[in-house]
């Protein structure tokens, strides 16, 4: 049976709100936390973007749940040596309850220093080299590295956890999934795609952790929930590679004009139908995921957590 976790959205909430949501998630019976790592929100309506590593420090004191970034891009905006130090400190502060989720990123967050935004195959090469650098640093030994993308000289992390930090890799296509299966300690996706899970496991992932996540909008008024999702997260319905190449929230707002409320209604769980919420998460269980994270888009956080504590999570435990 999968474990069910809660997905904290740094794009939509400030630090204090995220900490309170984590407390509510633990009290509601969720078993783990994902937290997004963004420099910008996807659009101005979302309105937030705190520094994830500061929030993780606070989470380590507020809750006892495992925490994972979903996901960090350790390649352009932040050098992998700096991400390694942040991740190592997070692992120490959480007593080993931290996993580092990584991915190849998107221009929205990563081009802010004026660096060239490379094509997908180059970004995956950079990600693989970054993982190699970080794993060497996690040993606590001095590292010197001169690779095609990164240079590290006389770098040593003095604050490191007793056990190596697991690095899970996000993959939304065959190439990224292949990289995850070859070098990752786990696999991350937000699509309940059984074929991708099978590719990951057969390609070398074996019995390693496979984690997935989704968003819902709990509200007693379904139409209001649809309007809320359309206002805040219409970007998720954009096709193709737009999510990876558009450079600013304003560009996403322009593109989101292509997304209708009917598209949201068809593709996102909105309202308070228990069966719909259960079916959404069960898709991931049926596709072979080990952990499934859910994020509440709407403003009724207390209602959402009560709804999942009393109705959704108990039914998932009975049906899976």
């Amino acid at each position: 049976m999968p474990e069910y976790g809660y997905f904290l959205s740094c794009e939509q909430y400030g630090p204090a709100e995220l900490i309170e949501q984590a407390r509510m998630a633990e009290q509601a019976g969720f078993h783990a936390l994902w937290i997004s790592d963004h420099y910008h929100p996807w659009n101005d309506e979302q309105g937030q973007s705190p520094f994830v590593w500061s929030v993780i420090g606070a989470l380590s004191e507020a809750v006892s749940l495992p925490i994972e970034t979903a996901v960090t891009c350790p390649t352009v905006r932040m050098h992998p040596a700096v991400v390694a130090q942040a991740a190592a400190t997070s692992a120490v502060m959480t007593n080993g309850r931290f996993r580092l989720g990584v991915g190849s990123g998107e221009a929205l967050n990563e081009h802010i220093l004026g660096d060239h935004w490379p094509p997908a195959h180059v970004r995956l090469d950079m990600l693989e080299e970054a993982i190699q650098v970080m794993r060497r640093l996690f040993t606590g030994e001095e590292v010197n590295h001169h690779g095609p993308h990164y240079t590290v000289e006389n770098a040593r992390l003095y604050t490191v956890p007793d056990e190596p930090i697991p690095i899970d890799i996000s993959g939304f296509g065959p190439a990224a999934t292949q990289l995850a299966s070859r070098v990752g300690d786990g696999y991350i996706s937000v699509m309940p795609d059984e074929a991708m899970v099978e590719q990951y496991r057969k390609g070398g992932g074996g019995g390693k952790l496979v984690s997935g996540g989704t968003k819902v909008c709990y509200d007693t008024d379904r139409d209001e929930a649809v309007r809320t999702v359309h206002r805040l997260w219409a970007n998720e319905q954009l096709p193709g590679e737009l999510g990876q190449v558009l450079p600013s929230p304003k560009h996403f707002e322009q593109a989101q004009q292509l997304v209708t409320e009917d598209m949201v209604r068809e593709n996102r769980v909105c309202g308070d139908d228990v069966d719909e919420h259960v079916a959404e998460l069960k898709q991931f269980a049926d596709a072979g995921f080990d952990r499934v994270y859910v994020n509440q888009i709407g403003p009724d956080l207390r209602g959402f957590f009560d709804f999942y504590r009393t109705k959704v999570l108990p039914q998932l435990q009975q049906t899976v």
Side-chain angles (χ1 to χ4, degrees):
M1 186 192 316
E3 289 185 326
Y4 292 95
Y6 187 71
F7 191 174
L8 297 166
S9 172
C10 284
E11 302 96 318
Q12 196 177 337
Y13 295 101
E17 295 171 299
L18 293 168
I19 301 307
E20 181 58 25
Q21 287 178 34
R23 290 193 180 103
M24 288 192 288
E26 186 167 35
Q27 292 166 3
F30 287 97
H31 293 112
L33 296 171
W34 260 4
I35 185 166
S36 57
D37 180 0
H38 269 235
Y39 195 89
H40 293 137
W42 296 99
N43 54 61
D44 284 357
E45 281 289 336
Q46 292 174 359
Q48 293 288 337
S49 200
F51 189 54
V52 70
W53 303 105
S54 299
V55 180
I56 290 171
L59 288 171
S60 72
E61 294 295 311
V63 297
S64 62
L65 299 177
I67 303 166
E68 179 167 17
T69 53
V71 293
T72 292
C73 179
T75 60
V76 178
R77 169 171 50 103
M78 289 182 67
H79 192 284
V82 178
V83 175
Q85 185 183 28
T89 300
S90 297
V92 170
M93 293 186 72
T94 59
N95 294 313
R97 293 178 285 109
F98 178 75
R99 298 180 75 95
L100 177 62
V102 299
S104 60
E106 57 279 315
L108 174 71
N109 299 303
E110 305 306 324
H111 87 296
I112 59 168
L113 303 179
D115 298 281
H116 169 67
W117 184 239
H121 72 279
V122 175
R123 301 201 306 269
L124 289 176
D125 287 342
M126 296 173 71
L127 181 60
E128 182 169 3
E129 185 179 343
I131 290 169
Q132 294 171 354
V133 169
M134 292 189 294
R135 282 196 172 128
R136 289 180 62 191
L137 286 164
F138 290 155
T139 66
E141 299 175 357
E142 182 176 300
V143 173
N144 289 279
H145 173 88
H146 298 277
H149 302 293
Y150 303 107
T151 297
V152 179
E153 292 185 351
N154 307 118
R156 177 185 172 189
L157 296 182
Y158 280 80
T159 301
V160 293
D162 294 334
E163 300 294 330
I165 300 168
I167 300 178
D168 300 339
I169 300 176
S170 172
F172 301 119
T177 302
Q178 192 276 334
L179 176 64
S181 66
R182 186 162 48 82
V183 305
D185 296 307
Y187 174 60
I188 289 173
S189 179
V190 293
M191 300 179 294
D193 190 327
E194 185 176 0
M196 287 297 179
V197 174
E198 185 176 358
Q199 180 194 340
Y200 170 74
R201 296 208 184 279
K202 289 185 176 179
K208 296 177 182 177
L209 184 69
V210 174
S211 301
T214 188
K215 295 180 182 294
V216 301
C217 187
Y218 167 81
D219 196 303
T220 55
D221 184 332
R222 177 177 171 81
D223 291 336
E224 180 61 25
V226 170
R227 288 189 290 269
T228 297
V229 176
H230 185 259
R231 177 171 59 85
L232 291 169
W233 287 93
N235 58 284
E236 290 203 322
Q237 306 303 322
L238 294 175
E241 295 185 53
L242 288 176
Q244 283 71 54
V245 301
L246 292 178
S248 76
K250 291 297 183 186
H251 290 95
F252 277 94
E253 288 165 10
Q254 293 165 10
Q256 285 169 197
Q257 296 177 42
L258 302 171
V259 179
T260 66
E261 289 187 6
D262 284 341
M263 292 168 65
V264 169
R265 189 175 283 103
E266 293 172 5
N267 292 285
R268 189 59 63 204
V269 172
C270 296
D272 60 353
D273 186 307
V274 177
D275 291 339
E276 289 185 7
H277 284 262
V278 169
E280 174 69 13
L281 274 64
K282 194 172 182 297
Q283 287 184 89
F284 289 88
D286 292 343
F289 285 76
D290 303 304
R291 283 186 182 169
V292 186
Y293 296 81
V294 60
N295 169 256
Q296 160 68 351
I297 292 174
D300 188 1
L301 273 301
R302 177 58 64 189
F304 165 85
F305 284 114
D306 287 344
F307 179 66
Y308 267 68
R309 176 180 57 83
T310 60
K311 297 181 179 180
V312 178
L313 293 178
Q315 189 164 326
L316 283 166
Q317 292 163 1
Q318 293 171 4
T319 59
V320 174

